[in-house]
Amino acid sequence: MAEQEKDAALPSKENFSEWYNDLLLKGEIMDVRYPVKGLYVWFPFGFNIRRNVYDIMRRLLDKDHQETMFPLLIPENEFMKEAEHIKGFEDEVYWVTHGGLTPLDVKLALRPTSETAIYPMYKLWIRSHADLPLKLYQIVNTFRYETKHTRPLIRLREITSFKEAHTVHATWDDAAAQVDEAIRIYTEFYRQLAVPVLASKRPDWDKFPGADYTIATDALMPDGKTLQVGTAHHLGDNFAKTFDITYEDAEGEQVYAHQTCYGVSERSIAALISMHGDDKGLVLPPAIAPVQVVIIPIIFKKAEGVLEACEELMSKLEAVGIRVKMDASDDRPGAKYYKWEMKGVPVRLELGPRDLQNNAAMLARRDTGEKQQFSLDTIVDDVSSMLDDIHDSLYEKAKESVYSRVFDCDDLDGVKENLPKGIAKIFWCGNKECGLKLEDEIGAGILGIPTDQEECKGKCPVCGADASTKVYVARTY
Ligand SMILES: Nc1ncnc2c1ncn2[C@@H]1O[C@H](COS(=O)(=O)NC(=O)[C@@H](N)CS)[C@@H](O)[C@H]1O
Ligand SMILES: [Zn+2]
């Protein structure tokens, strides 16, 4: 191994935590050396991935939502209005108390999430049922004074990429349908990142403060723990009553609106890095890869038209919208392969004098390492379909990896045996004491009732009562 490669070797993905932390630096995703706990800095390459990921989210939401932006600072009187909500955020909220040297007469909360910033405005904007449904979202930074172990992309104190949607509806049922739509959007969003997610209804004690119920999407990480990568909350008319959001119905009556909110953060990027990466570094799904194809000219003493052929190949690929780079630096080919594999570039094209004579290029796939020669006459179509194949193959492999680690268990021993590997499914009668005892007994959390759960008959492993549902349980981030 060359000198710089030896001391730069990435730890094996077997020790996931070291691998993940080291890859954030070597893959140029985030620099964790910023001098405030829980705040991290995007490297440009990581920020480019972030932009591509959130472009996918925008394309999905913009079909029937509108994007906007609300202020970061929330006056204490508004923030303290919703008791249940605040109980959920009271101990996580940052306060601004001064303007320069002058103490503020009303202290201002840094938004941990934006209900209490947005809903006073919704009160002003919503008059009649003709104004409904209202579906807005914003992609902003939010701040939470997390006291648990902070981790880049996973548990931040400044959530830099918080996509929060806030919708308003005429009825409870309309809002419930929107919660289902939100989960469909998230499942499609994650499919485009080749990340399988499991949707489940959180137990009551784990729902969003101020919500009637919460549906969450969880990703299963390589270490067998789950990461909550998106949530949708049915807020009922709880916030409408607190912020007096009413509309005039067809009979001229003032009616409280029903609402939802649903959010995704940069955990989406943590999930895709963790799901697909390997011991050589990032493996990026083509849809979000900043560089989809890297061209490596193989030059010996004389260039023999290789550079020109690479330039031509690059412009042909760019012409069909493929994000392509040529690495004509004077690094050795091996060092180039190492660098672009670390950055997860899905396709590498090698082109040397012999390839040129055969009017061909050698294509190397990042995900499987397979190499195959393609004629330069058809290379643009071949590369395009290869990028699609790579996405599909990443998604199939990820689904296989996740579903093979969901264990249908009949008793607590089965759960305890399988929990270190992934997610267990076990009967639960649904009452809270049993749920909390179950969590205690297995030392893990109830994720919730799978949204695709069919009726099933069994016994609660805690109290023995009849149970008609199985729940996902798992160790979580
Ligand atoms: N400290 C954090 N760091 C990174 N992501 C986080 C953090 N806290 C929450 N998230 C992500 O943000 C998502 C939405 O957060 S939440 O609290 O569940 N829901 C809300 O705040 C609602 N207002 C919907 S936007 C979570 O599902 C989780 O994926
Ligand atoms: Zn029970």
Side-chain angles (χ1 to χ4, degrees):
M1 290 270 270
E3 193 42 45
Q4 91 276 11
E5 285 172 5
K6 200 161 65 217
D7 61 27
L10 195 63
S12 153
K13 196 178 178 186
E14 291 308 306
N15 33 23
F16 174 66
S17 181
E18 289 76 8
W19 173 88
Y20 176 83
N21 291 333
D22 202 12
L23 184 52
L24 289 183
L25 192 60
K26 288 189 176 54
E28 295 181 22
I29 307 292
M30 266 203 155
D31 195 330
V32 298
R33 292 171 292 186
Y34 191 75
V36 177
K37 179 178 163 62
L39 274 59
Y40 310 102
V41 179
W42 286 101
F43 284 117
F45 187 75
F47 197 73
N48 195 327
I49 293 173
R50 173 189 185 276
R51 192 176 52 193
N52 295 337
V53 166
Y54 282 81
D55 281 355
I56 293 175
M57 178 60 85
R58 282 193 169 91
R59 275 198 297 275
L60 290 168
L61 289 174
D62 287 351
K63 288 191 186 99
D64 62 353
H65 296 63
Q66 291 166 285
E67 183 173 4
T68 182
M69 186 172 279
F70 285 81
L72 162 64
L73 299 175
I74 306 169
E76 183 178 21
N77 53 306
E78 293 298 348
F79 188 79
M80 298 311 280
K81 257 184 188 165
E82 157 68 15
E84 183 164 23
H85 180 82
I86 309 313
K87 231 180 16 267
F89 287 98
E90 172 77 348
D91 55 0
E92 287 183 65
V93 67
Y94 284 91
W95 292 103
V96 173
T97 58
H98 284 70
L101 301 177
T102 315
L104 297 176
D105 48 4
V106 176
K107 63 183 192 178
L108 303 170
L110 290 177
R111 61 186 168 216
T113 172
S114 299
E115 284 75 9
T116 57
I118 297 173
Y119 299 171
M121 303 312 293
Y122 276 5
K123 169 181 172 42
L124 301 178
W125 293 350
I126 290 166
R127 287 269 159 277
S128 101
H129 57 85
D131 299 322
L132 303 179
L134 178 65
K135 301 182 189 178
L136 304 184
Y137 73 94
Q138 62 178 10
I139 301 176
V140 293
N141 58 346
T142 56
F143 293 83
R144 298 185 183 192
Y145 185 67
E146 295 278 0
T147 46
K148 280 169 77 173
H149 182 48
T150 52
R151 294 191 69 146
L153 295 177
I154 289 179
R155 186 176 297 280
L156 309 122
R157 287 188 167 174
E158 176 179 6
I159 306 169
T160 66
S161 316
F162 193 72
K163 185 290 299 167
E164 49 178 327
H166 295 266
T167 68
V168 190
H169 305 269
T171 68
W172 194 92
D173 289 344
D174 289 354
Q178 189 62 36
V179 168
D180 295 343
E181 173 62 9
I183 296 302
R184 259 194 300 281
I185 290 171
Y186 286 179
T187 306
E188 170 56 17
F189 168 69
Y190 279 108
R191 186 195 65 76
Q192 294 191 36
L193 305 183
V195 171
V197 291
L198 299 172
S200 65
K201 184 173 184 180
R202 288 283 188 258
D204 244 17
W205 61 83
D206 196 21
K207 69 185 177 185
F208 181 70
D212 278 1
Y213 63 85
T214 287
I215 309 268
T217 50
D218 292 298
L220 179 55
M221 301 283 267
D223 57 1
K225 288 165 68 175
T226 58
L227 179 65
Q228 176 178 281
V229 288
T231 30
H233 314 289
H234 193 308
L235 304 179
D237 56 4
N238 311 327
F239 282 88
K241 285 180 177 151
T242 303
F243 290 93
D244 194 24
I245 302 172
T246 62
Y247 67 93
E248 187 172 292
D249 68 7
E251 289 71 51
E253 292 296 311
Q254 286 302 319
V255 180
Y256 283 117
H258 284 81
Q259 295 173 261
T260 84
C261 61
Y262 33 103
V264 160
S265 75
E266 48 261 64
R267 285 186 177 178
S268 53
I269 297 169
L272 78 87
I273 288 174
S274 307
M275 187 73 72
H276 305 304
D278 63 16
D279 287 356
K280 290 181 172 175
L282 295 172
V283 177
L284 295 179
I288 53 90
V291 179
Q292 294 171 313
V293 176
V294 62
I295 298 174
I296 311 283
I298 310 289
I299 297 176
F300 300 99
K301 45 202 171 309
K302 290 196 315 320
E304 299 163 69
V306 165
L307 277 182
E308 294 72 8
C310 288
E311 298 278 359
E312 191 197 331
L313 177 52
M314 186 156 83
S315 48
K316 281 200 301 189
L317 291 167
E318 277 170 346
V320 296
I322 290 174
R323 298 187 288 270
V324 50
K325 255 198 188 335
M326 178 165 80
D327 184 345
S329 70
D330 48 15
D331 286 350
R332 291 181 304 95
K336 293 183 184 182
Y337 298 169
Y338 175 83
K339 169 185 171 183
W340 295 106
E341 284 168 354
M342 182 65 74
K343 296 180 85 164
V345 176
V347 163
R348 179 178 76 229
L349 291 177
E350 299 160 21
L351 212 160
R354 224 170 342 92
D355 304 297
L356 215 46
Q357 274 149 21
N358 305 331
N359 184 37
M362 180 62 81
L363 185 151
R365 287 176 60 145
R366 173 66 183 88
D367 60 334
T368 62
E370 275 162 79
K371 295 182 78 162
Q372 197 180 340
Q373 229 183 29
F374 287 97
S375 153
L376 288 180
D377 298 341
T378 59
I379 189 85
V380 174
D381 291 346
D382 296 330
V383 167
S384 301
S385 51
M386 179 59 76
L387 290 171
D388 293 342
D389 292 352
I390 289 172
H391 172 271
D392 297 345
S393 154
L394 285 175
Y395 192 39
E396 286 315 309
K397 268 196 317 197
K399 281 194 283 189
E400 164 58 29
S401 157
V402 169
Y403 300 142
S404 65
R405 292 183 292 150
V406 178
F407 305 95
D408 208 337
C409 301
D410 298 324
D411 54 33
L412 293 186
D413 290 343
V415 169
K416 287 179 198 165
E417 180 199 328
N418 287 301
L419 268 189
K421 293 175 277 184
I423 298 169
K425 284 174 78 170
I426 185 76
F427 280 111
W428 173 41
C429 67
N431 87 352
K432 185 172 176 178
E433 300 69 62
C434 287
L436 294 175
K437 267 201 205 121
L438 175 61
E439 290 188 328
D440 250 11
E441 170 77 23
I442 60 178
I446 290 181
L447 292 183
I449 299 171
T451 49
D452 57 3
Q453 166 103 175
E454 291 94 35
E455 275 284 303
C456 44
K457 287 264 163 282
K459 298 285 181 202
C460 174
V462 179
C463 70
D466 287 345
S468 57
T469 53
K470 279 197 162 185
V471 284
Y472 289 135
V473 295
R475 294 170 305 126
T476 62
Y477 272 86

